[in-house]
Amino acid sequence: MASRSADFDDDSSGRVKRVKIEQNGTSDMDPKKNPYLAHQYNDVSKYASNASGDPLANFKRHATTAKQAKIAEDGPKNAFTGTNLSPRYFSILKKRRELPVYEQRQEFLDLYHKSNVLVFVGETGSGKTTQIPQFVCYDDLPQKKGKMVACTQPRRVAAMSVATRVAQEMDVVLGDEVGYSIRFEDMTSDKTFLKYMTDGMLLREAMNDPDLTKYSTIILDEAHERTLATDVLMALLKDVVLRRADLKLVIMSATLDSKKFQSYFHGAPLLAVPGRTHPVEIFYTPAPEDDYLSAALRTTLSIHDSQPEGDILVFLTGEDEIERAAAKIRAEVQEADMGPLDVYPLYGGLTPQQQQKIFNPPPKADVNGRPGRKCIISTNIAETSLTIDGIVYVVDTGFSKQKVFNPRVRYESLLVTPISQASAQQRAGRAGRTQPGKCFRLYTETSFKDDLIPQTYPEILLSNIAATVLELKKLGVEDLVHFDLMDPPAPETLMRALEELYYLKCLNIDGDLTEMGKLASEYPLDPAMAVMLISSSEFYCSNEILSICSLLSVPNIFVRPNHAKQKADEMKAFFAHDLGDHLTLLNVYHAFKSDEAQEDPKQWCHEHFLNYRALTQADNIRMQLKRIMERQEIELVSTPHTSPKYYDNIRQALVAGFFMQVAMKQSNNRPYLTVREEQKVVIHPGSTLKHEAEWVLYNEFTLTSANYIRTTTAVKPEWLIELAPEYYDIEDENFPDGDIKKALRRARNGVHRSEKGRK
DNA sequence: CTCATCTTC
């Protein structure tokens, strides 16, 4: 199987060498603030602690040394709280000082003093996420200025767990001096001066405080992941540091792409610290595999059969594929009597408890001395979000599902796509966390070099940016074309976003934010959804639309396990509404909130094949959205359930937001066509929409095995014309000439006739 | 004939 191997450590793209590149940063060269003056204080006792007992009393902000910090950290009193340090603190401190970053603390401080912006490259295991913010706190002294140090993370769990760890390291109570802030959970207080938070959270804060005046230093961690929020924050902060001389910015990244960050920030100083990992041997297949799934199964079984002790991690693309592969491997191992192997599927759809199982110890060796091991079959959740110790073998199929966005057709969808070289490297690295490992790549070395793109595309290039554009407008960014993003989206993507916001009346014809736009920007929702919610009181159904919005903001609430598809479908039919899925969702929510279900909601969900976690999450989101509506004084009203207009009102409110996501059935059993783009689409087979509705509104357009529209509800063409006259203006020369135009003309004439009829 | 992974005062 293995044709040739390469030493991972010698791989030219393998790891960061310890390099320090000094650049002509926009540094503060005021001699009075010269950081090197700090070195003149050679008498250690002078600043060990003063009469008042404050170990930080002699610390000069932005002019401290690693040595000073070390003395303060050595105690015996906590430099920030004044209490005696615990034994646990000292045992952790010892370990902290063995981390690679610790050696370069002075180097870090020198650059941090010199420049307002600093790029820090730390590989896995360097300790950057926990240590750098502490290094900053001892020098920036945010507590003395009533400011905070922020450190952003792309994921909630990371913000939470890192804050917990750092609170321990600093011997403080989590939520006091060190805290975190993520959606639905603010674990900070007025004492907090070091705050871990999600990047999205900081972006939200920027909308109310564009200069982020609460912070004296902002650290953007995992910047190489290039999340939408981090990209936007980088662009904003690049400008903020020019306006606020007192603000410092640290960009932390884990890849070799650091040069790109450095040049983006006008040659900011860069510091690189090596990680602490074990070498991983890479094997490629000699010839391309035409079926990566069977190749993955074959390779996994062969590792188990022939390789020394050590757990296996296999990367596949999706839930269904993973469950099937897991079943096959279990069956094969049993049939061929291959020795103990525990197989664990791993993907985001699993509950945290199910995900925890991957940390179970591997089975013991059997009586014949064959090693026992565990095998984890995972999506790319194991690439960044979850780390598993003890993995020695990685099987890399070279594929993952990735989001793609087509601005012309305006759909986001998921496609099985070859991964990037950076991704492949990350996957391989998972084999070397605790000991030297092996990575089996199920593609050729030529393919790795020639076919894989070097870096995964940043999220901003693969997304509908309408929500981002609205946020930026709210932030006061006037000229979006020249907004200095690291990777600006295609002009067409921007145009489509602006156009979408114009039709939604969030922007006027000049591209300025309207009253509607201001209101919509306050919701953590896509613009169409926000507009629908804001408009819903006019249709006397804001309570119901609020529920629907919440349900559309969480993963699929319907569970359909492979072994009980029929039973699950029967249960779903119990809630089904003939007019469409939005109304079905509402039925489920009402049933979920009923007294009967609330007696034991978990059990109730299990019996009805519903995702309890998603429903409680929706409930949470509902409360959050409700608070914003109340603040905006949007009335929470309902049409009486007995009224014949109950469902019509809801459906009209749906149209008020989603009029751009409508498809029409063509005659003669031909597929549906989307209104303006005239894309052929099929209603997703899971839909509860019963009769052949001529016009349907949909929430999502995804391309999987076909062009599916998901979560669809029947609507009437008269409503489209009435509620979105500009979008449905068939006199507009850009409106495609076809069946849809004809049908709209018929409907329009019908409206006119009925109006005459009413008179 | 059925969706990767995150995320938002």
Side-chain angles (χ1 to χ4, degrees):
Chain A
M1 174 212 324
S3 62
R4 67 183 297 287
S5 67
D7 189 333
F8 187 58
D9 271 356
D10 288 337
D11 190 326
S12 61
S13 55
R15 80 175 185 194
V16 180
K17 298 246 160 49
R18 185 178 151 166
V19 283
K20 188 180 71 176
I21 303 162
E22 303 247 357
Q23 287 284 339
N24 50 333
T26 53
S27 59
D28 186 352
M29 285 302 168
D30 179 354
K32 270 177 275 176
K33 290 184 191 165
N34 188 333
Y36 298 101
L37 289 178
H39 294 292
Q40 293 175 7
Y41 301 113
N42 287 324
D43 180 7
V44 165
S45 63
K46 218 172 146 186
Y47 42 79
S49 135
N50 70 358
S52 69
D54 177 3
L56 303 176
N58 294 322
F59 276 51
K60 277 188 73 185
R61 196 163 175 262
H62 298 170
T64 72
T65 64
K67 202 168 167 191
Q68 271 183 299
K70 182 175 182 294
I71 291 161
E73 278 175 353
D74 280 338
K77 289 203 188 298
N78 189 317
F80 294 102
T81 65
T83 55
N84 283 324
L85 290 161
S86 69
R88 184 179 69 175
Y89 168 88
F90 289 105
S91 81
I92 298 177
L93 182 63
K94 200 163 161 262
K95 282 187 214 129
R96 285 170 56 199
R97 290 186 172 165
E98 288 162 10
L99 288 166
V101 277
Y102 189 77
E103 266 182 59
Q104 278 156 284
R105 186 173 194 160
Q106 187 58 52
E107 256 178 284
F108 171 80
L109 287 173
D110 290 343
L111 295 179
Y112 177 77
H113 294 156
K114 229 179 73 173
S115 173
N116 286 345
V117 186
L118 169 59
V119 179
F120 186 92
V121 180
E123 292 248 292
T124 351
S126 64
K128 67 176 187 321
T129 304
T130 52
Q131 304 310 304
I132 294 292
Q134 295 187 65
F135 294 177
V136 166
C137 284
Y138 272 92
D139 182 75
D140 198 34
L141 307 169
Q143 79 288 1
K144 293 196 174 179
K145 306 273 282 181
K147 301 268 178 185
M148 281 191 281
V149 170
C151 180
T152 67
Q153 297 292 321
R155 280 167 291 280
R156 290 161 53 94
V157 269
M160 232 177 337
S161 60
V162 176
T164 309
R165 169 70 189 181
V166 171
Q168 281 178 7
E169 292 192 357
M170 293 180 74
D171 217 14
V172 299
V173 176
L174 179 65
D176 286 356
E177 286 78 8
V178 179
Y180 65 87
S181 179
I182 57 180
R183 191 184 190 185
F184 305 126
E185 211 182 333
D186 184 10
M187 195 52 146
T188 63
S189 62
D190 42 11
K191 283 189 196 170
T192 306
F193 62 77
L194 174 53
K195 176 156 102 174
Y196 286 89
M197 64 207 300
T198 49
D199 49 8
M201 196 73 193
L202 187 62
L203 191 53
R204 275 278 143 185
E205 284 189 5
M207 287 176 61
N208 294 318
D209 177 15
D211 279 356
L212 292 160
T213 49
K214 279 196 257 176
Y215 304 99
S216 51
T217 296
I218 292 170
I219 304 167
L220 301 181
D221 198 5
E222 314 290 0
H224 62 278
E225 287 196 29
R226 304 294 309 278
T227 63
L228 229 167
T230 292
D231 270 16
V232 174
L233 279 169
M234 283 198 292
L236 289 170
L237 287 166
K238 199 175 167 177
D239 222 37
V240 177
V241 285
L242 298 179
R243 292 198 295 270
R244 279 187 54 196
D246 58 321
L247 179 70
K248 283 186 181 280
L249 181 58
V250 181
I251 309 293
M252 301 211 289
S253 153
T255 50
L256 284 175
D257 218 21
S258 52
K259 287 266 162 60
K260 188 168 180 178
F261 288 96
Q262 196 180 18
S263 63
Y264 176 66
F265 286 104
H266 311 298
L270 184 143
L271 182 64
V273 174
R276 197 177 281 157
T277 49
H278 300 272
V280 175
E281 203 179 346
I282 308 281
F283 300 90
Y284 293 95
T285 52
E289 296 282 350
D290 46 324
D291 179 359
Y292 71 81
L293 187 56
S294 66
L297 296 176
R298 208 170 61 235
T299 308
T300 306
L301 291 167
S302 128
I303 292 169
H304 183 47
D305 201 36
S306 62
Q307 295 283 331
E309 203 173 16
D311 300 332
I312 309 169
L313 174 61
V314 186
F315 284 101
L316 292 180
T317 64
E319 174 174 340
D320 206 47
E321 191 180 79
I322 287 169
E323 289 292 354
R324 279 170 214 272
K328 268 195 179 154
I329 290 175
R330 286 191 196 110
E332 286 269 346
V333 165
Q334 191 164 28
E335 198 181 318
D337 186 26
M338 289 172 74
L341 183 77
D342 287 347
V343 183
Y344 298 103
L346 176 64
Y347 44 87
L350 295 171
T351 64
Q353 296 94 295
Q354 288 169 313
Q355 289 187 3
Q356 277 301 311
K357 286 187 189 162
I358 61 167
F359 298 110
N360 287 348
K364 291 196 169 66
D366 68 2
V367 284
N368 303 321
R370 291 181 300 188
R373 58 178 116 226
K374 61 181 174 185
C375 169
I376 294 152
I377 309 179
S378 174
T379 61
N380 42 4
I381 191 171
E383 207 177 290
T384 47
S385 309
L386 274 167
T387 47
I388 314 144
D389 283 335
I391 298 293
V392 179
Y393 306 100
V394 163
V395 178
D396 174 16
T397 53
F399 288 98
S400 71
K401 279 197 188 172
Q402 285 165 43
K403 190 162 75 177
V404 289
F405 176 63
N406 180 333
R408 199 179 60 76
V409 192
R410 256 189 55 242
Y411 72 72
E412 279 182 337
S413 68
L414 297 167
L415 280 182
V416 174
T417 314
I419 60 171
S420 66
Q421 290 172 354
S423 227
Q425 208 180 308
Q426 178 77 12
R427 287 179 174 192
R430 294 296 177 178
R433 287 188 56 83
T434 41
Q435 67 177 82
K438 289 178 180 174
C439 174
F440 300 93
R441 290 183 173 159
L442 304 180
Y443 38 91
T444 64
E445 190 174 13
T446 320
S447 191
F448 173 82
K449 284 184 178 149
D450 300 344
D451 301 341
L452 301 192
I453 54 169
Q455 298 287 335
T456 310
Y457 287 116
E459 199 184 357
I460 198 163
L461 298 184
L462 305 171
S463 309
N464 180 357
I465 54 167
T468 306
V469 168
L470 185 61
E471 279 165 20
L472 290 173
K473 286 282 179 185
K474 176 77 201 306
L475 275 156
V477 177
E478 306 266 316
D479 184 3
L480 289 162
V481 176
H482 296 104
F483 184 57
D484 189 10
L485 287 158
M486 196 174 219
D487 285 287
E492 190 176 4
T493 308
L494 182 58
M495 286 314 296
R496 292 308 304 251
L498 290 167
E499 190 185 70
E500 189 178 328
L501 291 167
Y502 169 74
Y503 281 123
L504 287 168
K505 298 199 161 35
C506 288
L507 298 179
N508 65 20
I509 194 76
D510 299 322
D512 300 324
L513 202 62
T514 61
E515 205 48 47
M516 174 62 95
K518 273 180 205 152
L519 294 175
S521 71
E522 292 192 24
Y523 293 87
L525 296 172
D526 271 340
M529 195 116 74
V531 167
M532 164 169 95
L533 190 55
I534 294 162
S535 317
S536 60
S537 63
E538 294 164 31
F539 298 92
Y540 309 104
C541 56
S542 39
N543 285 311
E544 288 72 22
I545 292 294
L546 176 57
S547 304
I548 291 172
C549 278
S550 313
L551 292 158
L552 292 175
S553 304
V554 297
N556 195 357
I557 59 167
F558 296 103
V559 180
R560 195 167 184 264
N562 269 329
H563 58 272
K565 285 184 177 166
Q566 209 184 339
K567 191 95 182 76
D569 291 344
E570 282 168 27
M571 276 302 169
K572 188 171 178 182
F574 181 68
F575 300 107
H577 194 292
D578 288 357
L579 284 174
D581 301 303
H582 295 87
L583 305 177
T584 302
L585 287 175
L586 191 62
N587 284 344
V588 173
Y589 184 74
H590 287 153
F592 175 67
K593 297 300 279 183
S594 70
D595 292 344
E596 185 207 330
Q598 285 300 311
E599 260 176 45
D600 187 352
K602 229 173 175 168
Q603 179 59 24
W604 184 85
C605 284
H606 184 76
E607 283 165 9
H608 292 84
F609 287 87
L610 295 168
N611 183 339
Y612 171 72
R613 224 164 34 112
L615 277 165
T616 43
Q617 202 187 336
D619 227 10
N620 237 331
I621 293 174
R622 194 179 189 280
M623 283 189 284
Q624 188 188 21
L625 298 177
K626 190 173 163 219
R627 274 198 299 275
I628 305 173
M629 289 173 84
E630 283 165 351
R631 201 172 57 222
Q632 296 186 356
E633 296 178 349
I634 291 168
E635 273 192 295
L636 286 153
V637 288
S638 296
T639 304
H641 193 265
T642 48
S643 161
K645 296 208 69 187
Y646 181 80
Y647 287 113
D648 272 12
N649 285 346
I650 294 172
R651 290 195 292 151
Q652 287 185 44
L654 291 173
V655 170
F658 284 95
F659 56 85
M660 280 176 278
Q661 294 175 206
V662 170
M664 188 194 83
K665 179 138 188 72
Q666 302 178 94
S667 47
N668 310 333
N669 270 342
R670 286 187 294 151
Y672 281 80
L673 275 189
T674 61
V675 168
R676 280 232 168 173
E677 291 80 18
E678 301 208 298
Q679 283 293 300
K680 288 179 189 158
V681 292
V682 183
I683 294 177
H684 194 275
S687 176
T688 63
L689 187 65
K690 274 291 161 309
H691 65 287
E692 296 266 293
E694 193 187 7
W695 295 84
V696 294
L697 166 153
Y698 58 89
N699 182 58
E700 220 178 345
F701 178 164
T702 71
L703 181 111
T704 45
S705 49
N707 280 342
Y708 287 120
I709 48 174
R710 292 184 72 238
T711 317
T712 54
T713 287
V715 293
K716 294 181 183 169
E718 307 89 273
W719 299 343
L720 301 170
I721 296 167
E722 276 175 35
L723 299 173
E726 272 193 84
Y727 194 76
Y728 287 90
D729 179 10
I730 50 178
E731 308 305 333
D732 179 351
E733 57 184 28
N734 293 324
F735 204 104
D737 217 4
D739 288 353
I740 290 180
K741 197 181 229 175
K742 273 186 224 149
L744 284 170
R745 186 165 288 132
R746 275 200 307 277
R748 190 182 62 176
N749 295 337
V751 170
H752 287 161
R753 265 200 302 281
S754 71
E755 271 169 7
K756 277 179 202 145
R758 270 205 293 269
K759 283 175 194 163

